[in-house]
Amino acid sequence: MTLREKEKILLQKIKAGDPTAYMTLVSPFRERLFRKAVSMVKDGDDAEDIVQDALISGYKSIQNFRAEAGVYTWLYRIVVNKSKDLLAKKKRGREKPMDDSGENQFVDSRVGYEKKLELSEESRYLMDKIALLEDSYKQVLELRYFENLSYNEIAEIMECNVGTVKSRLFKAKEFLKHLIQKDEKGEGFFEK
């Protein structure tokens, strides 16, 4: 049975009133959604709140979900939108600024790839270079290589066609390669 088939069965159970089916449906995506929120808002507590809010919003609107996209894609969009909303509120000054002292920083074993990246100086270097790219290029790299999504799933999330995804991914890799090659530390990443 494919993931989509399992999702459809769980969606039918949810719409029929099964109270446990929603948690069964969304549980496999929770860690990935949390990682996405952390990557955007840079704060674990805010990220946890965003994921909770996104899952509640998803539950409230599940009756209207048509399953044209996968459940993860749908929830991912909700998390991204809620993260953007929070960042906009903070920028307008309605929220307290984040504490930079480090004592309230979030450490969570669920944040898998960030922890692995901390172990490697090369990985930190690469992430710094990715951060210099335009948002659409950062997003496509993240979705493809950190979230391991297919071109079709990325196209659904970015609301574009598969050809655009492939083109952006190619350009993102070229821009990244250029940034690395012009930096002395980047020697060895690519052959010139």
Side-chain angles (χ1 to χ4, degrees):
M1 182 179 299
T2 68
L3 178 62
R4 285 286 175 106
E5 291 169 340
K6 289 177 187 176
E7 286 179 358
K8 286 181 181 182
I9 291 169
L10 287 168
L11 286 167
Q12 289 171 348
K13 288 181 178 182
I14 293 165
K15 291 178 181 185
D18 183 341
T20 62
Y22 184 71
M23 287 311 295
T24 303
L25 178 69
V26 300
S27 289
F29 309 125
R30 189 165 173 58
E31 181 179 334
R32 290 168 63 192
L33 295 170
F34 177 77
R35 283 195 318 252
K36 179 58 187 170
V38 166
S39 76
M40 290 185 72
V41 300
K42 311 294 187 231
D43 180 85
D45 291 334
D46 286 343
E48 186 63 38
D49 290 343
I50 287 166
V51 171
Q52 287 292 337
D53 193 25
L55 293 177
I56 290 168
S57 294
Y59 183 74
K60 287 179 180 178
S61 62
I62 196 79
Q63 296 296 331
N64 300 323
F65 181 64
R66 295 184 309 247
E68 291 169 359
V71 172
Y72 175 74
T73 303
W74 176 61
L75 291 171
Y76 181 96
R77 283 188 196 147
I78 295 171
V79 166
V80 167
N81 289 335
K82 291 194 177 290
S83 296
K84 287 179 180 178
D85 291 347
L86 178 68
L87 291 171
K89 283 180 189 175
K90 284 187 175 192
K91 190 172 185 177
R92 288 190 303 262
R94 293 184 183 161
E95 299 275 329
K96 298 188 303 187
M98 291 187 344
D99 179 9
D100 290 336
S101 68
E103 63 187 58
N104 292 328
Q105 294 299 315
F106 187 81
V107 178
D108 191 320
S109 61
R110 292 179 293 184
V111 186
Y113 82 88
E114 286 91 350
K115 287 209 175 284
K116 290 177 187 169
L117 290 175
E118 288 175 8
L119 300 176
S120 166
E121 186 176 322
E122 284 182 350
S123 295
R124 279 195 306 274
Y125 170 79
L126 191 57
M127 291 306 293
D128 289 344
K129 293 301 177 192
I130 291 172
L132 297 173
L133 297 174
E134 291 179 23
D135 286 342
S136 63
Y137 297 127
K138 277 190 284 196
Q139 184 181 24
V140 75
L141 284 171
E142 179 182 296
L143 293 171
R144 183 69 177 155
Y145 297 109
F146 297 133
E147 297 293 331
N148 296 316
L149 297 181
S150 70
Y151 292 127
N152 288 333
E153 291 170 319
I154 296 169
E156 288 176 18
I157 288 169
M158 296 183 75
E159 297 177 338
C160 63
N161 64 43
V162 173
T164 301
V165 169
K166 290 178 179 179
S167 172
R168 284 185 189 164
L169 189 58
F170 176 80
K171 288 178 184 176
K173 290 189 285 188
E174 287 299 308
F175 289 139
L176 186 59
K177 181 178 179 179
H178 176 73
L179 287 171
I180 290 171
Q181 284 180 331
K182 76 177 195 177
D183 186 353
E184 290 177 15
K185 286 185 177 181
E187 291 177 18
F189 272 89
F190 302 100
E191 304 246 346
K192 287 193 175 187

